Amino acid sequence: MNIDLTNTTSSKVNAALVEARRAAGGPAVGMVLTLVVVTDEGNHYDALKAAADASREHPSRILAVIKRPGRTPRDRRTARLDAEVRLGGDVGGGETVVLRLHGELADHADSVVLPLLLPDAPVVVWWPVDAPARPAQDPLGALAQRRITDAYAVEQPLEQLAARAAGYAPGDTDLAWTRLTPWRAMLAAALDQARTEVTSAVVESEADNPSAELLARWFADRLKVPVEQVVTAGPVVTGVRLRTATGDIHIDRPDGPVATLSIPGQPTRTLALKVRSTADLIAEELRRLDPDEAYAAALRARVTAPAASATSQKHEQKEQQDV
């Protein structure tokens, strides 16, 4: 069921939600949280599809905020709210409201969203693209217990991570970190089996990959070892190597959903390590609404590159002498 509202108000949108639930035969509200998706026209379809898929695990009221400030001075002075209420069908296990904020109203999205939040339920704000530098200080971010960004969706992801570290507040997280969950779980399990001390680490990935950068920082924070970052053809993170006195612990995923795990003294194993969809990542983040302390520590950690070996130092000195 879809209800279109033009030049409307938040109170009329709430009334339309009640009407839609009654028409669908489900007047009781069974949602567990409000998910606010702040996006644009070009990305709202994919973002809403991911949010709807995630809501099958976490029934939610999804509020899609699309800001349209206008291109001309007259359009920018005009304030108008258009809304679309969606219930049933492909919207997942909850209800969806698409809010288009025109003109001056685009600068006051929080005043539109606040009356539409579920009472006594957590609020999560997700920026699929173009997140603010300090999400917790954004008017919409201030309404939420959890704020989700995605450094992978920007042109300069490593600079974005630097901004995230400077403006971090408890409740912030990034999908670049969420993508690492299977890697971190497998590496932790491998270290439990190997029972040896790690002396250095290597992370292999495509260039400027924020997940690889966070993984390197995680090693630096947890293992206190130097980390080398190697650029490959991708996609995303393709391999991790933990160097120990007894040999390398190595996870290799050159392509596809399958990886191999090598542990010294044990047979090589095949692992399922696919690149997960955005819906899976959002569903994982919605399972926990407390601050992610591991993400905060990794975000702020500093990576130290391994020192050059004596052989490589001699080679560099010889090249300098030849020059």
Side-chain angles (χ1 to χ4, degrees), residues 128-211:
V129 293
D130 299 331
R134 297 177 180 266
Q137 296 180 12
D138 181 83
L140 286 174
L143 301 175
Q145 288 77 38
R146 191 77 162 168
R147 296 166 293 274
I148 305 173
T149 56
D150 191 357
Y152 196 77
V154 301
E155 292 184 3
Q156 298 177 320
L158 301 188
E159 292 185 6
Q160 188 84 343
L161 288 182
R164 294 282 170 269
Y168 174 81
D172 291 354
T173 193
D174 196 282
L175 295 186
W177 175 252
T178 316
R179 292 182 179 94
L180 294 174
T181 300
W183 288 88
R184 293 188 293 122
M186 291 178 184
L187 288 165
L191 282 175
D192 286 342
Q193 297 176 46
R195 297 289 183 178
T196 185
E197 183 178 354
V198 177
T199 57
S200 65
V202 179
V203 178
E204 303 171 358
S205 73
E206 61 189 5
D208 296 331
N209 183 270
S211 295

Side-chain angles (χ1 to χ4, degrees), residues 63-238:
L63 304 178
V65 178
I66 303 174
K67 299 179 181 180
R68 305 186 67 174
R71 297 182 179 180
T72 66
R74 180 179 179 181
D75 290 340
R76 287 192 289 270
R77 290 193 301 268
T78 303
R80 189 178 86 245
L81 171 64
D82 295 336
E84 181 183 351
V85 176
R86 304 175 184 175
L87 193 66
D90 297 330
V91 301
E95 54 196 21
T96 298
V97 181
V98 181
L99 303 168
R100 290 183 170 85
L101 283 61
H102 299 265
E104 293 181 343
L105 194 59
D107 296 328
H108 305 281
D110 55 319
S111 64
V112 176
V113 168
L114 186 59
L116 301 176
L117 301 178
L118 291 171
D120 302 322
V123 179
V124 179
V125 178
W126 170 35
W127 291 269
V129 293
D130 299 331
R134 297 177 180 266
Q137 296 180 12
D138 181 83
L140 286 174
L143 301 175
Q145 288 77 38
R146 191 77 162 168
R147 296 166 293 274
I148 305 173
T149 56
D150 191 357
Y152 196 77
V154 301
E155 292 184 3
Q156 298 177 320
L158 301 188
E159 292 185 6
Q160 188 84 343
L161 288 182
R164 294 282 170 269
Y168 174 81
D172 291 354
T173 193
D174 196 282
L175 295 186
W177 175 252
T178 316
R179 292 182 179 94
L180 294 174
T181 300
W183 288 88
R184 293 188 293 122
M186 291 178 184
L187 288 165
L191 282 175
D192 286 342
Q193 297 176 46
R195 297 289 183 178
T196 185
E197 183 178 354
V198 177
T199 57
S200 65
V202 179
V203 178
E204 303 171 358
S205 73
E206 61 189 5
D208 296 331
N209 183 270
S211 295
E213 178 66 23
L214 285 173
L215 186 58
R217 296 185 188 187
W218 183 60
F219 288 146
D221 175 68
R222 303 298 295 177
L223 300 177
K224 310 299 182 185
V225 297
V227 184
E228 179 184 358
Q229 294 176 265
V230 178
V231 176
T232 65
V236 294
V237 180
T238 57

Side-chain angles (χ1 to χ4, degrees), residues 32-48:
V32 299
L33 58 88
T34 303
L35 175 60
V36 182
V37 184
V38 187
T39 184
D40 54 24
E41 291 288 359
N43 294 280
H44 88 280
Y45 176 83
D46 291 337
L48 281 180

